[in-house]
Amino acid sequence: MDAEQVVLQVNGAPVQGPAHKKLLDFLREDLRLTAAKNGCGSGACGACTVLLDGKPQRSCIPTLAKLANKQVITLEGLSPREQGVYAFAFAETGAVQCGFCIPGMVMSAKALLDRNPDPDDEAIRKGIRANMCRCTGYVKIQDGIRYAARLFREQTPVPQPAFTGALGENFHRVDAVAKTLGTGKYVDDLVFEGMLHASAVRSAYPRARVLKIDTAQAKAHPDCVAVLTAEDVPGNIKIGHLAFLSDYDVLIAEGGITRFIGDTLAVAVGTRKETLNEIKELVYVEYEVLEPLTSPRAAMAKGAPLIHAKERNILSHEHLVRGDADAVLAQSAHVVTRHYSVPFTEHAFMEPECAIALPDGDRGITLYSAGQSIYDEQRECARMLGIAPEQVHVKGQLVGGGFGGKEDMSVQHHACLAAWCLKKPVKVLLSRQESINLHPKRHAMEMDFTTGCDAAGKLTAMKAVIVADTGAYASLGGPVLQRACTHAAGPYNYQVIDIDGKAVYTNNPPGGAFRGFGVCQSCFATENNLNLLAEHLGISPWEIRYRNAIRPGQVLPNGQIAGDDVELEACLKAVQETYDQARSQGKAVGIACALKNAGIGVGLPDIGRCILSVEQGMIHIRTSAACIGQGLATVTTQIVCETLKIPPEKVVAEPPDTRRTPNSGTTTASRQTLFTGEATRQAALKLKAALEAAGKDLARLEGQEFFAEFSGVTDPMGSDKPNPVSHLAYGYAATVVILEDTGKVEKIIAAYDLGTVVNPRAAEGQIEGGILMGMGYALTEDFPLEGGYPKVKYGTLGLIRATEAPPMEILLIQPKNPAPPAYGAKGVGELATIPVCPAITGAYYAKDRTLRSKLPMEDTFYRKK
C-alpha cells in the first residue's frame, strides 16, 4: 500500500484514501457518500456531521491521516430501520425546511439516542448544539428527535399515515424524506464526466484601479486549464438582478476601478478543486490603491468620486408625503424623535453558493443552479454570453436556504462563462468566507423617526429620514428602500406621513434582499417610538397598539384601504392575556406589531404561472417558483388536492426547469403562496372541468396540459389616487417577548394573520425560524466592516444555536371570510421575522428604561457593553 494511503472503516467496510485529504472530501468525492454537506468548511455549522467511533464528528476538520483504523458511520450507513424512523419522525413533526442541515442533525441525534434513549428537552438541545439551522428555529427538529426516540424505545413500526392533501392538513412535505436521508440533490452533490472546477480571483482592495492582470504564471500551473478575464466575455460585461439597472461587473478589466472586495478580476479554471487556490495565487495583479467610500455620508459628500454614474452616489431616492406632517406634529399632544442605527447582517443560509454549467450541444448552455429564480439566472447569463435567453437551459436543484441572499448572481455567470469558453462542464463553488464577503446583505440603515399622537393616544403623524448603505452595486437596493419607506409608519390607522429615503452606493459589500426586505429596519424604529409615546400617555405598549391597529375598511398610512382579510386586532387580542399576566407578575415584557406585503406590488408586473399536465396517469405541477425552504411544492400540491379532491399520491411537483416550467417570477416578497398558489388553483379548476367532462376518467386526459396565470394589479409609487392599492395583500403580526430577571429571553409568543393556513405545522416552522432570526438581529448578529473589509467569519456571526433558543408559542389567526386568490392564503416567510426585534427592544426598555436604539443591542444578557 502507498505510504500516503490510510485504511479506515466507513459504514462497516474497509476503504483507503490519501492521508492528506479531509474526511468530508473523501466521503463526498471518493466514495460518493453525499449526505454529509459542506456548509462552512471550518467545523462551525455541523452540516457535515458523521459518527467517528460512535461519537459525532464534524468531518470537514480531520484529515484521513488521523483516522487510521477508525470507524466512520455516515447517514447512508444507518440501518433501514433507523433511516425509516428518522425520515418519518422528521417529516411528521415538520423538522425539514431547506434540508441542508438535516443529515447532520440526524447523525447528532443518533449519537445522542445511542447513549441516551430517553433524553429530556435539555439533553436534546445539547445533543444538537454543534449543529446550526437557519430555517426552523430548532423547535421542530427537537420534536422530530423526541418522536424518533419514542419509536425506537417502544419498538413501534413506522406509521403509514394516509393524507388527503386538503388545505389545513399537516401533510408531510413532499421532499421531507429525501432531505432527511440525504438523497435529495443540491448542486454540489452533482458530478459530470470531465468536470472542471473554477474560482474567482477577487480584488484585494475595496477601491483600486487595476493597472495590470498577468495570468502567465497561473496558466503554467500543471492543473490550470484556463484563466479567463474581461476580454473573454462574449456578451455584455454588465449584468444585474433588475434588467433596467444592470450595473454589476462580470469581471473588472485592466484600467477599471474595483468597487468592493468581491469584485472579480479573473476566473481560474483547473482540473482539480484542491489546487485552484494555488492557481489563483499565481495571477499577478498590479493596483493603484484608491481611498474607499465606506459610509453613505462619505459617498454623498461634495466632490466624492462616483462609484457609478449616479449623482452624489445616490442609487435611489424616495419621498412619500401624505398630508402636512410638520403642521400635524406641531399640534400633536405628544411627539417623540429618536435616531436608530442598524448594521449590515448576513443571511448565513446553510448551503454555500454553487453552480454547474455544461455545453448543451449547439443550443447553448445547461446550468444547474440553486437560486431564487431560474428565469432571472437565464436572463442574466444569456446577457453576459450575448445569446438568446432560450439558449440557457436552467435546471433548479434543491436550495439550501436563501432568505433573499440567492436572488443575485454569485456563481452562475462564472460557471456559464467558463463552460461556454472551454466547452466542458464547470463547477463553481464558493467557500463560506467567499460567500460571506461577496453576496448582498441586509442593508445597514441610519434612521431618524418622529412620531406624534393626540391626548387620547391616537397616532396623528410621522416623519422619517432613512439613509441606506446599498454598497457597491444596485442589487435590489431601490425596492428595499421602497419597502422600508412604505411600511415605515406601521400597521396603524393614521394617514399623515413624510418619509424621505435614500439608498447610497459605497465601497462596502452590496445590500440587497434579505427576509423582511427593508421592513425589519423601519419597523424597529417606529415600534420603539410607539413605546415612548405610550410612556408619555401613561398607558401600556399593548394599549397604544390596540387603539391604533388597522381594521377592515380603515386607511393605512400609505393610503390603501384595509381589506376584509385584516386580522391585526385579533392578533393583539390573542396575545393580550399573556402580555397582561407577565406584566402583573413584574416581568419585563415587550410587544411589537408588523405588516408585510405579499407580492411585489407598487404597479410592477407580478405574475404567477402554472401548468398542470397529465402524464402516465399522474398530475404534474409545473412552475418555476423556487422552494428555498418554505415548502412551495407542498403548498401547490395541497392546493391541487383541495381543488380536485384527489389524493396526493396522484400528484408530482416538478423542480424548476426553463424548458418545462413557466416563469412564475422570483421567490421574493412573500409572493409565491399567493401568486403561484392562485395560478395553480386556476389551472386545477380547468383540469377539474375537463375531468368532469371526461367522466372523471383521468386516463382520457393523458398528455393534456392546463395552463393558468394570475396577475396582481396594483398602483405605482406616487399614484395620484386618493386610495392607491400598493399591494395585493398584507400579513399582520403581534409578538410578545418576556425576559427573565437576568435579561435572558424567557419566552416568545407570536400571533400571525397569514390568511388561510395551507399547512399549519409548516407555517409554525416558518414562523419559529423567522422568530429566531429576528432574535439574532436584535441581540447577537453583526457584520463588522473596517475600511470596506468584512471582519467576521461564520463562527463569529452571532448565529443562535439550539441551546440558546427560547421557548416559542405560535398562534395562527384564522380568517373570518377566506376567499381567492389562493383560497385566502398569504405568505409568512418575511413577516415571521419583522416584529421580533422591536418586541425584544421593548422588553429591555421595560426592564431598565434604557432605549437601545442601535443593533445588535448592547448591555444585554447576550452582549455586554
Side-chain angles (χ1 to χ4, degrees):
M1 186 183 69
D2 191 310
E4 294 186 354
Q5 295 289 304
V6 171
V7 175
L8 65 157
Q9 296 278 326
V10 176
N11 296 332
V15 295
Q16 67 178 30
H20 71 277
K21 199 160 195 174
K22 291 289 182 71
L23 174 59
L24 178 61
D25 292 337
F26 176 65
L27 294 172
R28 291 180 57 82
E29 297 168 7
D30 295 51
L31 302 185
R32 296 301 300 145
L33 299 172
T34 58
K37 307 301 182 189
N38 186 355
C40 68
S42 60
C45 79
C48 64
T49 300
V50 299
L51 298 190
L52 181 62
D53 291 342
K55 296 180 179 180
Q57 170 66 53
R58 284 158 281 184
S59 60
C60 68
I61 297 175
T63 60
L64 298 191
K66 300 176 182 178
L67 304 179
N69 301 315
K70 298 285 188 180
Q71 300 278 343
V72 174
I73 301 293
T74 73
L75 182 50
E76 293 91 341
L78 299 192
S79 70
R81 162 70 176 170
E82 289 175 307
Q83 290 187 358
V85 166
Y86 284 115
F88 177 80
F90 276 50
E92 174 66 14
T93 57
V96 181
Q97 291 189 33
C98 88
F100 199 80
C101 73
I102 295 300
M105 291 285 186
V106 170
M107 297 311 293
S108 289
K110 173 176 168 54
L112 169 66
L113 299 185
D114 281 352
R115 67 178 185 271
N116 180 1
D118 191 10
D120 60 17
D121 291 350
E122 183 179 2
I124 292 174
R125 287 193 292 271
K126 288 183 177 178
I128 58 171
R129 66 181 179 274
N131 297 78
M132 187 66 69
C133 177
R134 196 65 164 154
C135 294
T136 69
Y138 303 104
V139 176
K140 300 290 189 278
I141 292 174
Q142 294 170 52
D143 292 343
I145 295 171
R146 194 179 303 110
Y147 195 158
R150 180 163 65 84
L151 292 177
F152 286 131
R153 280 196 317 274
E154 298 175 359
Q155 300 183 357
T156 306
V158 175
Q160 301 293 324
F163 292 105
T164 67
L167 297 187
E169 183 178 64
N170 287 320
F171 172 58
H172 289 183
R173 283 183 65 116
V174 298
D175 53 8
V177 171
K179 287 177 173 178
T180 301
L181 299 182
T183 57
K185 297 301 180 185
Y186 301 85
V187 180
D188 193 33
D189 297 331
L190 304 179
V191 173
F192 294 89
E193 184 70 27
M195 188 172 73
L196 304 174
H197 298 270
S199 184
V201 177
R202 304 196 185 274
S203 176
Y205 303 97
R207 183 168 176 265
R209 190 180 306 278
V210 180
L211 302 178
K212 183 178 183 181
I213 303 172
D214 188 340
T215 64
Q217 286 189 332
K219 289 177 178 177
H221 190 287
D223 293 338
C224 182
V225 176
V227 180
L228 306 175
T229 57
E231 63 188 15
D232 295 302
V233 176
N236 201 312
I237 201 75
K238 297 279 191 179
I239 59 175
H241 185 63
L242 301 177
F244 69 89
L245 190 59
S246 295
D247 66 355
Y248 201 107
D249 294 280
V250 174
L251 288 143
I252 302 289
E254 286 186 347
I257 295 177
T258 67
R259 295 179 175 87
F260 83 121
I261 64 162
D263 275 334
T264 300
L265 311 183
V267 176
V269 187
T271 56
R272 299 172 58 216
K273 181 183 73 173
E274 296 86 348
T275 56
L276 275 178
N277 284 337
E278 293 177 15
I279 298 170
K280 287 161 59 177
E281 288 170 1
L282 293 173
V283 176
Y284 172 76
V285 182
E286 183 179 340
Y287 299 93
E288 176 191 350
V289 180
L290 304 172
E291 185 71 22
L293 304 173
T294 59
S295 72
R297 180 185 296 272
M300 290 189 292
K302 185 177 180 179
L306 296 182
I307 296 171
H308 297 276
K310 290 283 188 176
E311 184 179 356
R312 295 179 62 211
N313 287 309
I314 297 173
L315 164 68
S316 179
H317 181 202
E318 301 289 349
H319 193 194
L320 282 61
V321 177
R322 292 182 69 84
D324 187 340
D326 286 327
V328 174
L329 288 169
Q331 298 299 315
S332 297
H334 303 281
V335 177
V336 296
T337 299
R338 293 293 186 276
H339 179 80
Y340 297 92
S341 179
V342 295
F344 286 108
T345 45
E346 158 69 18
H347 302 75
F349 36 71
M350 294 299 299
E351 174 204 29
E353 298 90 333
C354 184
I356 299 173
L358 55 157
D360 184 12
D362 296 329
R363 299 180 68 179
I365 289 289
T366 296
L367 173 66
Y368 293 83
S369 184
Q372 293 183 218
S373 170
I374 56 173
Y375 283 94
D376 290 342
E377 295 168 289
Q378 180 189 61
R379 171 181 53 79
E380 293 191 59
C381 291
R383 174 185 170 96
M384 173 196 66
L385 295 177
I387 59 178
E390 296 75 22
Q391 290 178 264
V392 180
H393 178 197
V394 186
K395 304 179 77 170
Q397 305 302 296
L398 293 181
V399 183
F403 314 113
K406 291 180 179 174
E407 293 191 34
D408 297 82
M409 295 304 97
S410 56
V411 289
Q412 302 94 324
H413 56 314
H414 290 157
C416 285
L417 177 63
W420 179 267
C421 291
L422 301 174
K423 308 304 178 188
K424 296 218 178 245
V426 180
K427 175 185 283 189
V428 182
L429 170 66
L430 295 188
S431 71
R432 177 56 70 175
Q433 194 59 48
E434 280 184 292
S435 175
I436 288 172
N437 287 352
L438 72 91
H439 78 246
K441 313 300 171 200
R442 177 179 282 132
H443 282 75
M445 293 187 185
E446 299 295 325
M447 302 175 289
D448 292 289
F449 270 59
T450 298
T451 315
C453 69
D454 64 19
K458 289 286 191 175
L459 296 175
T460 53
M462 64 88 68
K463 286 192 69 172
V465 176
I466 300 172
V467 179
D469 186 340
T470 209
Y473 292 99
S475 181
L476 285 158
V480 167
L481 178 70
Q482 285 183 350
R483 295 295 79 69
C485 292
T486 59
H487 289 60
Y492 303 111
N493 178 33
Y494 67 115
Q495 293 78 46
V496 181
I497 60 172
D498 186 333
I499 304 165
D500 187 90
K502 296 183 179 70
V504 184
Y505 284 119
T506 68
N507 292 121
N508 292 322
F514 191 169
R515 191 179 207 167
F517 210 78
V519 185
C520 291
Q521 295 94 315
S522 57
C523 178
F524 169 63
T526 208
E527 289 293 306
N528 276 295
N529 270 13
L530 259 63
N531 293 338
L532 299 176
L533 285 175
E535 187 175 42
H536 281 236
L537 289 158
I539 63 176
S540 75
W542 182 91
E543 181 62 32
I544 194 171
R545 288 165 173 83
Y546 187 75
R547 292 182 188 182
N548 291 281
I550 193 72
R551 291 164 171 85
Q554 294 180 342
V555 180
L556 284 160
N558 62 10
Q560 182 164 339
I561 299 173
D564 291 339
D565 62 331
V566 174
E567 297 289 353
L568 180 58
E569 180 181 9
C571 291
L572 281 163
K573 286 182 175 178
V575 300
Q576 181 182 13
E577 183 178 353
T578 300
Y579 179 84
D580 288 344
Q581 185 179 47
R583 290 191 78 199
S584 68
Q585 294 171 347
K587 292 181 177 292
V589 56
I591 186 169
C593 295
L595 81 164
K596 182 64 177 70
N597 56 290
I600 296 168
V602 295
L604 297 173
D606 200 357
I607 303 172
R609 297 183 177 92
C610 179
I611 294 172
L612 297 182
S613 55
V614 182
E615 304 177 37
Q616 297 182 335
M618 302 290 287
I619 298 170
H620 285 241
I621 302 172
R622 293 157 53 188
T623 173
S624 74
C627 175
I628 58 175
Q630 83 278 32
L632 195 277
T634 306
V635 168
T636 56
T637 297
Q638 290 190 248
I639 287 174
V640 167
C641 291
E642 174 74 22
T643 307
L644 297 177
K645 306 304 181 201
I646 60 168
E649 292 78 17
K650 298 292 292 181
V651 179
V652 176
E654 293 194 15
D657 185 319
T658 52
R659 291 188 185 161
R660 284 281 298 174
T661 58
N663 187 354
S664 202
T666 309
T667 293
T668 188
S670 302
R671 61 181 295 277
Q672 293 294 10
T673 292
L674 194 160
F675 283 81
T676 298
E678 175 60 11
T680 302
R681 189 187 73 89
Q682 291 185 14
L685 287 172
K686 292 181 179 180
L687 173 53
K688 183 179 181 179
L691 197 56
E692 290 174 351
K696 298 188 177 180
D697 183 359
L698 189 63
R700 293 176 60 185
L701 303 180
E702 181 67 29
Q704 293 190 36
E705 295 183 353
F706 303 86
F707 170 78
E709 68 177 31
F710 173 68
S711 179
V713 179
T714 55
D715 296 311
M717 296 279 289
S719 170
D720 59 3
K721 292 183 178 180
N723 297 109
V725 177
S726 180
H727 293 93
L728 205 63
Y730 292 94
Y732 297 86
T735 299
V736 168
V737 172
I738 303 170
L739 301 182
E740 297 178 1
D741 290 342
T742 61
K744 183 179 181 181
V745 175
E746 178 180 302
K747 188 175 182 180
I748 299 178
I749 306 94
Y752 285 83
D753 161 26
L754 53 143
T756 298
V757 182
V758 176
N759 188 307
R761 191 163 290 145
E764 289 172 2
Q766 276 266 290
I767 292 168
E768 287 157 356
I771 284 174
L772 207 63
M773 192 174 280
M775 179 176 164
Y777 187 47
L779 294 168
T780 59
E781 295 183 32
D782 201 0
F783 194 82
L785 290 160
E786 292 181 12
Y789 295 92
K791 296 297 181 180
V792 67
K793 298 179 180 179
Y794 185 86
T796 63
L797 285 169
L799 308 178
I800 295 176
R801 296 186 178 271
T803 48
E804 301 161 326
M808 306 178 208
E809 180 181 351
I810 310 303
L811 307 171
L812 301 178
I813 305 302
Q814 297 296 330
K816 296 183 181 70
N817 300 299
Y823 291 107
K826 301 183 283 191
V828 74
E830 295 177 281
L831 179 66
T833 296
I834 295 166
V836 181
C837 174
I840 293 173
T841 315
Y844 268 96
Y845 187 76
K847 182 177 185 296
D848 60 16
R849 287 298 182 263
T850 299
L851 177 63
R852 292 162 174 84
S853 58
K854 183 178 183 296
L855 299 181
M857 298 190 303
E858 294 183 339
D859 194 22
T860 68
F861 176 86
Y862 303 86
R863 187 183 180 99
K864 304 303 180 184
K865 282 187 177 180

